[in-house]
Amino acid sequence: MVLAAGYLGITLDWALVQHRLSRGFRVVSFDNAGLGFSDAGPEPRTSSAIVADLRAALAAAQLGPPYILVGHSAGGIRMHLFAALYPQDCQGLVMVDSCFADWEQRLYGGPSPHLDQEREVFLRLLALAQAGRLTPEAADYKARIAVPRPDLSPAMNAAFHEMWTRPSYLLTAISESLHLRAATAIEAAADRRPLGQTPLAVLSAMDTTQSAFLESDAQTAAWFAMHDELAGLSERGFRRLVDCGHNIPIEHPKAVFTAVEEVAAMAG
């Protein structure tokens, strides 16, 4: 099993799911280059670059295919790309509240103002970090980073503080946000490539009120329509509603590992 976290997410996002799946499977989660506990990688941080890094890491760790690929949100876009480019390596696919790479055009008909606003925050955080002034007292630190958190251990709070105040992390965040909206021709073509008999589960969060990207009934309908299209790419695809918000791996981990186990069983 290979678990890919969402936009700017890290391995810790899979803690509840990975622990359960590890009882019956060998499970790998990973931090994209420049995020979490991974060293920075070359720019641009496109989905293609992330997939290439992952394949190289799996080979270096001698973790050969076939894989069941599990991706949450933007991680789903990357795992879908992996499956489309290397179908011989993919035994099954689980898309956790994910979508197509052209999500922005489908939801907004153009650039999303939310990504622009977030990138402005990242640029301010980067300037503070480079000047050594990104401290818990800074307004942007309080608004975007907000650690220490009472639900995390001192060690975890320290790890998040170190990550967010690292200029290389913020440069990666800026690059990933730019390329989350700019699919290459290869990535766009992979989005529509049929997956044949590959087992495919698509999980849709029912509570869309937490998503800053879904502001209208029309956008919500377009989001769910993408999920139907995704499930339809495989002759053995199915879509399931999950009673929680977008962060399914944390809010409803049982839904994820149940779907993964079903896909594994279908794959034989």
Side-chain angles (χ1 to χ4, degrees):
M1 305 286 176
V2 179
L3 311 179
Y7 169 58
L8 304 185
I10 60 176
T11 51
L12 298 175
D13 297 345
W14 291 111
L16 300 176
V17 172
Q18 185 160 357
H19 175 72
R20 173 63 175 78
L21 288 176
S22 66
R23 299 176 189 174
F25 306 97
R26 191 168 192 185
V27 189
V28 174
S29 58
F30 65 97
D31 293 335
N32 293 341
L35 303 183
F37 302 99
S38 288
D39 294 333
E43 294 190 23
R45 300 313 304 161
T46 62
S47 291
S48 294
I50 291 167
V51 169
D53 285 348
L54 173 59
R55 280 177 58 80
L58 290 169
Q62 298 184 332
L63 297 170
Y67 310 111
I68 290 179
L69 305 173
V70 185
H72 172 234
S73 194
I77 296 174
R78 282 91 185 235
M79 293 298 90
H80 183 196
L81 176 63
F82 191 123
L85 295 178
Y86 309 101
Q88 71 281 2
D89 291 349
C90 178
Q91 202 168 38
L93 187 64
V94 180
M95 303 282 281
V96 184
D97 216 32
S98 183
C99 58
F100 287 112
D102 65 351
W103 63 274
E104 199 173 24
Q105 184 64 36
R106 289 183 177 225
L107 296 183
Y108 294 92
S112 160
H114 299 288
L115 279 182
D116 293 332
Q117 293 161 7
E118 186 171 58
R119 194 158 46 254
E120 290 175 5
V121 174
F122 289 155
L123 287 168
R124 293 199 301 270
L125 291 171
L126 176 61
L128 289 171
Q130 290 172 329
R133 293 189 288 110
L134 185 51
T135 65
E137 291 72 37
D140 279 326
Y141 185 106
K142 293 177 181 178
R144 188 63 176 82
I145 304 172
V147 295
R149 284 170 37 188
D151 58 326
L152 298 179
S153 68
M156 288 295 302
N157 276 309
F160 277 113
H161 170 82
E162 191 280 330
M163 181 179 74
W164 272 98
T165 55
R166 194 190 314 150
S168 61
Y169 170 84
L170 293 163
L171 286 168
T172 299
I174 292 165
S175 184
E176 281 207 18
S177 71
L178 282 169
H179 292 284
L180 188 60
R181 67 167 25 151
T184 66
I186 292 174
E187 293 165 1
D191 258 358
R192 302 297 186 273
R193 193 168 300 158
L195 296 171
Q197 289 286 318
T198 303
L200 166 64
V202 179
L203 301 183
S204 301
M206 293 173 63
D207 182 3
T208 62
T209 60
Q210 301 177 35
S211 175
F213 293 97
L214 300 177
E215 301 173 315
S216 68
D217 291 342
Q219 288 176 338
T220 299
W223 180 258
F224 287 148
M226 279 190 277
H227 290 187
D228 286 331
E229 286 185 51
L230 282 169
L233 290 176
S234 168
E235 295 172 29
R236 293 200 288 170
F238 65 90
R239 177 177 170 234
R240 178 172 298 153
L241 295 173
V242 182
D243 189 13
C244 67
H246 178 62
N247 199 8
I248 298 176
I250 298 296
E251 296 179 40
H252 205 320
K254 183 178 180 180
V256 180
F257 58 69
T258 297
V260 173
E261 289 169 345
E262 287 179 69
V263 166
M266 292 169 67

